[in-house]
Amino acid sequence: MSLLEPALDPVPAAAPARPLTPQREALLRALDARTPGHSLPAPLYTDPDLHQAELELLWQRQWVFVGTSAEVPEPGDYVTLDIGRASVMVLRDDDEQVRAFHNVCRHRGARLVTEDKGSVGNIVCGYHRWTYSTDGRLVHAPQLGPDIDPACLSLLSVHVREIEGLLFVCLAADPPDDVEDVARVIAPYFAPHHLGSAKVAAQIDLVEDGNWKLTMENNRECYHCDGHPDLLCTFFQTWGLAEHQVPDRMRASHERFLLADAELAQRCAAQGLPYPTISDLVDRPLGFRVERSPMDAAGESFSRDGTRLVQRTLGDVDGFRMGRLGLHAQPNLWLHVCADHAVTFAVFPVGVDKTLVRTTWLVDADAVEGVDYDVDALTEVWRHTNEEDAAFVALAQRGVSDPAYVPGPYTETEAQVDAFVSWYAARIREEIVR
Ligand code: FES
Ligand SMILES: [Fe+2]
């Protein structure tokens, strides 16, 4: 499979149509100071003003992964998420459609729902009891004047798109339309796994002490994977390496990978499952990469010996030795789907140097905890791996905050990190002149 993204030169700055705010000018200057093929200049990881500009230009204009439909399985079920200063409520309405709303009352603006997740019959504001149905209509407002039309006071909706059980929202009035292109490409990979009808077995929130880009960059390379002893039981450390980049010490593992890769490709072909890696990380708003890849040892799941962690398959796959289906989508998602479970990772900035990583494990809806799976065992490898990654991200944040930090060169093995920061720079430059 092709693993290298082309290195891009910085996109020339177009002349802004109107004067930029000082924060946006500073953001542009920081991007101008970027050297292609190198880590980003420090202010892009550390400056609160640049972070605020980034939230407005990127997080409030791009499609953002918010979770899975399994998190809102029944009518009235909801989750809330903060995207910058905006609180978004994602819920399933009484007709079982997933909707998203700004979590702001149409009366005097009170925050409507204050929990991270829950279930409601109607959405009732805690201030003066204005009440909204699950499709957002204002259905009760005590003493509302007769000349005020409640139909004009529905909740403000947010664009939401479900792709095979994966939920994305976009806060922009005119979202990038490439989500449909991405859906067309990735849906055939995900459809057999039935994520849309899975159930949540576990969810863990971890706040990392680093900028969100450091979290994403860290995920885009396995250069640091010696720090993940549990993960390396099944995750081939040569992931992301071209043939000529495989070091001698990984040669034996790489030979196992090549054999397992060929076997898995055959098994997928026999089941009609698409196999080629498709990578379009830099040029489109919803940069993505989808891949199937074998796993080491027993090749079934993220356990220490590679054997299944759930005794029921998730979706319509024949057998458990199916490796993993991986997806990376920018700005904030990566995930793995094995035959027995899926695990998704959603990244949300909390502050310039704080990032929430929400990890969710999905299993077949009929799998029974304690019978078909054990939550501790199911979550163990990624709990450990997440903690290890959080420590790496915290180290990186401390380093880029040091006056001595100078952006350093990416190695050949960090091509996907380079692709990520190139995507980031291109999106900011596009949006800053819109
Ligand atoms: S602010 Fe919500 S009912 Fe008054
Ligand atoms: Fe890692």
Side-chain angles (χ1 to χ4, degrees):
M1 52 189 169
S2 169
L3 295 163
L4 284 174
E5 289 293 319
L8 288 189
D9 288 321
V11 180
R18 55 184 177 276
L20 296 177
T21 63
Q23 290 86 354
R24 292 182 184 187
E25 267 185 18
L27 183 57
L28 213 44
R29 277 198 306 275
L31 283 177
D32 288 343
R34 168 182 171 246
T35 304
H38 287 62
S39 56
L40 293 170
L44 294 169
Y45 298 118
T46 60
D47 186 314
D49 286 342
L50 301 199
H51 179 65
Q52 185 55 42
E54 196 177 77
L55 290 172
E56 294 164 8
L57 291 166
L58 200 149
W59 285 84
Q60 295 183 7
R61 296 190 185 179
Q62 305 293 323
W63 287 98
V64 172
F65 176 70
V66 288
T68 59
S69 65
E71 292 168 61
V72 287
E74 301 292 334
D77 290 348
Y78 70 84
V79 295
T80 58
L81 298 133
D82 291 338
I83 301 175
R85 292 193 346 239
S87 174
V88 177
M89 180 180 190
V90 178
L91 89 166
R92 193 173 295 275
D93 72 14
D94 291 342
D95 294 326
E96 307 217 345
Q97 296 299 305
V98 176
R99 294 177 180 264
F101 300 108
H102 287 280
N103 188 14
V104 178
C105 184
R106 294 300 310 278
H107 177 217
R108 279 162 53 195
R111 175 65 45 91
L112 285 168
V113 170
T114 54
E115 303 295 323
D116 289 344
K117 64 181 82 164
S119 192
V120 290
N122 287 314
I123 304 158
V124 183
C125 180
Y127 200 173
H128 313 94
R129 315 301 292 174
W130 280 29
T131 300
Y132 305 86
S133 57
T134 54
D135 60 6
R137 283 177 300 118
L138 178 64
V139 293
H140 181 62
Q143 294 146 39
L144 188 66
D147 53 335
I148 299 174
D149 182 2
C152 298
L153 293 167
S154 296
L155 294 180
L156 297 175
S157 62
V158 171
H159 295 281
V160 62
R161 179 72 165 86
E162 178 170 356
I163 305 174
E164 296 296 334
L166 304 173
L167 300 175
F168 297 82
V169 302
C170 182
L171 292 167
D174 54 341
D177 58 10
D178 76 324
V179 69
E180 300 306 328
D181 299 335
V182 175
R184 264 192 297 280
V185 173
I186 69 172
Y189 285 78
F190 283 89
H193 297 282
H194 298 185
L195 299 191
S197 57
K199 76 169 180 182
V200 176
Q203 186 170 74
I204 296 177
D205 283 355
L206 176 67
V207 176
E208 298 187 346
D209 291 323
N211 182 270
W212 69 274
K213 296 187 292 300
L214 293 175
T215 298
M216 295 300 290
E217 291 168 22
N218 176 66
N219 176 259
R220 293 295 76 205
E221 43 91 358
C222 214
Y223 196 31
H224 69 277
C225 280
D226 284 331
H228 293 319
D230 289 356
L231 184 63
L232 286 186
C233 294
T234 55
F235 196 91
F236 283 107
Q237 196 168 2
T238 48
W239 176 82
L241 300 187
E243 197 66 32
H244 71 279
Q245 296 167 344
V246 175
D248 287 345
R249 71 187 178 93
M250 295 180 199
R251 188 46 63 182
S253 147
H254 189 57
E255 296 300 327
R256 289 198 305 282
F257 166 80
L258 292 173
L259 273 177
D261 192 42
E263 281 174 21
L264 183 57
Q266 280 185 357
R267 270 197 297 285
C268 287
Q271 296 183 43
L273 303 176
Y275 198 75
T277 295
I278 301 176
S279 184
D280 194 354
L281 286 167
V282 178
D283 295 330
R284 63 168 61 251
L286 186 54
F288 76 100
R289 173 189 170 97
V290 64
E291 64 181 8
R292 283 193 187 274
S293 191
M295 297 171 75
D296 208 349
E300 294 182 352
S301 196
F302 288 109
S303 56
R304 287 223 174 84
D305 61 2
T307 58
R308 68 202 70 170
L309 290 160
V310 185
Q311 299 304 317
R312 301 178 71 100
T313 55
L314 173 58
D316 191 14
V317 292
D318 183 11
F320 284 88
R321 194 175 158 80
M322 296 303 297
R324 62 179 184 87
L325 167 63
L327 177 69
H328 174 82
Q330 289 157 182
N332 76 326
L333 164 68
W334 68 90
L335 62 77
H336 305 284
V337 185
C338 300
D340 66 337
H341 78 281
V343 57
T344 67
F345 304 81
V347 170
F348 300 99
V350 177
V352 67
D353 57 358
K354 291 261 184 280
T355 299
L356 169 66
V357 178
R358 172 164 293 169
T359 307
T360 307
W361 288 261
L362 302 176
V363 299
D364 181 84
D366 293 328
V368 178
E369 185 181 347
V371 176
D372 295 310
Y373 66 97
D374 174 86
V375 170
D376 272 355
L378 174 64
T379 58
E380 183 183 29
V381 164
W382 281 110
R383 271 189 287 117
H384 293 179
T385 304
N386 282 353
E387 296 283 349
E388 292 151 3
D389 277 328
F392 286 130
V393 167
L395 280 180
Q397 183 70 32
R398 287 170 67 184
V400 298
S401 305
D402 191 296
Y405 166 65
V406 179
Y410 296 131
T411 64
E412 276 188 309
T413 67
E414 293 163 293
Q416 290 187 55
V417 183
D418 195 20
F420 169 72
V421 298
S422 297
W423 170 88
Y424 161 80
R427 296 292 83 70
I428 295 287
R429 288 186 190 280
E430 275 173 13
E431 294 297 336
I432 214 161
V433 292
R434 274 221 297 158

